[in-house]
Amino acid sequence: LDEFNSQNLANTAWAFASSGVKAPKLFEAIATEAVPRLKEFKPQGLANTAWAFACASCIPAEQLAVVVDRVIEVIGTFQEVHLCQIYQFFLYTRIAHPELRALEPQHQQKLRAAYMHMSPTNSRLHRMVASTLSRMRWAHDFEHVTEEGISIDLAQPNTKIAIEVDGPSHHLRIAGTTDFVQNGATLLKTRLLEDFGWKVMHIPFYEWDKLKQYADQETYMRGRLGICRR
C-alpha cells in the first residue's frame, strides 16, 4: 500500500466497501496511508474513501477527524453523487463519533437534499410487497422518509419497523454458487437505520420470487413480521 497513489488507495477502499467485505486490517492500513495524504485526493476519490470508511466502521476517531476536516474544506467541489456518499459518511460519524466536527446547517441541508434526490425509485417487487401488506391490513407508509432523509421502502413509523425490499442491485452473487450476499451500500444503510432506532427487515428478491400465490406471500410476510417484532 505504501506504493499506491491516492487513486489506488481510494479505489481499493471503495471496492472492498462496495462488496461488503469485512477487512478491518486492510481498511486500517489504507487509512494509515491515505489520511496524511488527503490533499492529494480528487473529490471523487475523497468521497469514495470517506464512504468506504463509514462502511468499514473501524477507523479510529483521530483519523476520521482529519477526513472530516478535509471534506468540509473542499465541500463545494463535490458532484451530487459524491455528496450522497459524504452525507452517509456524516450520518455515520454523527452516531459513531459525535465528538467529531459537524456540518454547518447550510451544508447539512445541501447534502441531505442531494441524498434524497438520488434515492432509487420504487420497483414492481416493492409494489407487490406493499400490496401484500395492504391485503393483510398491516398499516404502513410507502417510501417513508426518516428525519435524517433516509428513504425506507415500507415502514411503520409508530413501531419503527422498516421493511426494505431488495432487488438484484442490492446483492452480489457469491462466485461459483447460486447464493447472494448484501452489498456494502445495503449493509451501510441498514446499519444507519438501526443506529437511528429502526428494526430493519429485508425482503430479498430470490425469496419473494418463489412465492407464486397470494396466500404464500401473506404467510411469508406474517412469518417475517413475527421475527421482526421479537
Side-chain angles (χ1 to χ4, degrees):
L1 289 177
D2 58 352
E3 297 180 1
F4 279 21
N5 61 29
S6 60
Q7 184 173 345
N8 297 149
L9 291 168
N11 289 349
T12 302
W14 179 86
F16 276 82
S18 296
S19 301
V21 175
K22 292 183 179 181
K25 295 297 183 183
L26 173 64
F27 282 108
E28 290 165 7
I30 290 174
T32 297
E33 291 294 329
V35 169
R37 299 161 52 190
L38 288 180
K39 290 188 177 181
E40 300 175 18
F41 284 64
K42 294 180 180 179
Q44 180 180 356
L46 181 58
N48 283 344
T49 302
W51 180 82
F53 286 173
C55 291
S57 187
C58 66
I59 308 304
E62 58 269 22
Q63 291 180 317
L64 289 176
V66 180
V67 179
V68 166
D69 288 344
R70 180 57 180 168
V71 167
I72 292 175
E73 183 181 355
V74 298
I75 196 87
T77 67
F78 294 109
Q79 297 180 12
E80 187 174 55
V81 64
H82 307 143
L83 292 176
C84 295
Q85 294 174 303
I86 295 300
Y87 185 64
Q88 292 175 83
F89 170 70
F90 276 101
L91 286 180
Y92 161 69
T93 59
R94 170 178 160 188
I95 291 293
H97 298 283
E99 73 279 9
L100 296 183
R101 182 180 175 187
L103 288 167
E104 294 293 333
Q106 68 271 23
H107 293 149
Q108 174 79 12
Q109 293 171 7
K110 180 179 180 179
L111 266 63
R112 185 180 188 275
Y115 179 68
M116 292 178 63
H117 183 256
M118 295 291 288
S119 295
T121 57
N122 63 78
S123 64
R124 179 173 177 271
L125 174 60
H126 182 176
R127 295 190 294 272
M128 289 174 65
V129 176
S131 295
T132 300
L133 293 175
S134 296
R135 291 197 305 270
M136 294 165 53
R137 301 186 184 280
W138 194 80
H140 63 278
D141 290 351
F142 190 86
E143 291 191 350
H144 174 79
V145 179
T146 71
E147 292 181 7
E148 299 78 26
I150 304 174
S151 178
I152 300 173
D153 290 340
L154 306 163
Q156 202 173 67
N158 59 323
T159 60
K160 298 208 81 170
I161 294 176
I163 300 177
E164 288 287 279
V165 183
D166 296 341
S169 64
H170 293 263
H171 297 86
L172 297 170
R173 186 188 289 255
I174 300 174
T177 76
T178 58
D179 298 329
F180 293 87
V181 294
Q182 292 177 336
N183 61 26
T186 301
L187 291 170
L188 176 59
K189 181 181 179 182
T190 298
R191 197 172 78 243
L192 290 173
L193 285 170
E194 290 174 344
D195 286 342
F196 287 114
W198 289 86
K199 299 179 287 289
V200 184
M201 177 176 68
H202 292 271
I203 307 299
F205 74 97
Y206 54 83
E207 290 185 1
W208 188 265
D209 286 351
K210 298 175 184 177
L211 309 172
K212 305 302 182 184
Q213 304 297 325
Y214 283 173
D216 297 331
Q217 295 166 358
E218 292 172 19
T219 297
Y220 173 86
M221 288 306 302
R222 286 194 181 94
R224 295 301 310 276
L225 288 166
I227 293 170
C228 190
R229 288 196 181 113
R230 289 177 186 172

